[in-house]
Amino acid sequence: MMHRLTIFAAATVMVATPAMADEPYAVTPSGGTEAYYAMGVTDTSDMLANSCLDFGWQMVSSTDTMVVCEVPMSFGSKLVSALFAPRYSTPTRQYIRFNLAGIEGNTRVQASSWQESQTAFGQNQRTDLASDNYHNSVMTFFEGSGGVYPQGTT
C-alpha cells in the first residue's frame, strides 16, 4: 500500500505541472530522464503499465520494451494549450513513453513525454516536453516506483 501511495504522490506532482523547480536534480550521466530497476524487462514493463492504469491514465500501448500512456492534462495546461493551439484543432493530449532495455538481469528505463494535437487539415502537431520540472517529476516518479538513479548521477 505504501508503495502505491508513493507512486501516486509522484504521479500527482507530474500531472499537476506547476513550475516547482528552476534546475534539474538527479542529472544522469547520459543527460536523459532515466532509472534502473532491479527486475527483468518484462516485470518492469508490467509494473509501469499497471502504474499507468492505477493512476487512471490510459495505457495506449505496452510491449516488453516500451510502455506508452496518455496522461490527463491539468486545467492550467489545457488552458494554455487552448490559447496557443491552432483554431479548429483537436484538444491537446499528453503522453509519456517508457523505453526499457535489459542489462545484466536489471532494466534500464528512459522516459520521454510530449503533447500533441491534430489540425483541421489532419496534420499532427507535436511538442516534446523537456523542461526541468518535467525531468524532476519523472525522476521522482522513478524513485517512488522502486527505480534507482544510474551510477554517476549528480
Side-chain angles (χ1 to χ4, degrees):
M1 180 65 178
M2 186 62 164
H3 175 71
R4 287 185 185 213
L5 183 61
T6 303
I7 293 173
F8 178 74
T12 302
V13 169
M14 185 168 52
V15 173
T17 64
M20 298 176 3
D22 295 328
E23 296 180 16
Y25 71 88
V27 178
T28 62
S30 71
T33 305
E34 65 179 297
Y36 286 83
Y37 288 84
M39 61 181 86
V41 173
T42 301
D43 290 337
T44 304
S45 175
D46 289 345
M47 184 271 301
L48 291 170
N50 280 300
S51 293
C52 286
L53 297 173
D54 290 344
F55 299 139
W57 301 351
Q58 182 175 349
M59 185 175 37
V60 176
S61 65
S62 175
T63 67
D64 284 348
T65 58
M66 184 176 62
V67 176
V68 179
C69 301
E70 182 179 347
V71 180
M73 294 178 62
S74 68
F75 175 76
S77 294
K78 286 181 184 178
L79 183 61
V80 169
S81 294
L83 291 173
F84 291 106
R87 199 169 177 183
Y88 304 114
S89 67
T90 61
T92 303
R93 301 172 96 166
Q94 183 173 325
Y95 298 92
I96 187 165
R97 178 179 57 227
F98 301 101
N99 292 316
L100 296 82
I103 181 167
E104 299 176 5
N106 297 311
T107 304
R108 181 179 184 179
V109 180
Q110 287 189 324
S112 59
S113 189
W114 69 94
Q115 292 179 346
E116 69 181 29
S117 64
Q118 190 175 60
T119 67
F121 300 109
Q123 295 174 323
N124 286 328
Q125 295 189 328
R126 178 177 166 153
T127 304
D128 291 331
L129 302 178
S131 69
D132 293 341
N133 183 52
Y134 157 76
H135 173 81
N136 292 345
S137 297
V138 176
M139 293 302 282
T140 300
F141 170 82
F142 282 151
E143 189 175 29
S145 63
V148 296
Y149 300 146
Q151 187 174 10
T153 298
T154 58

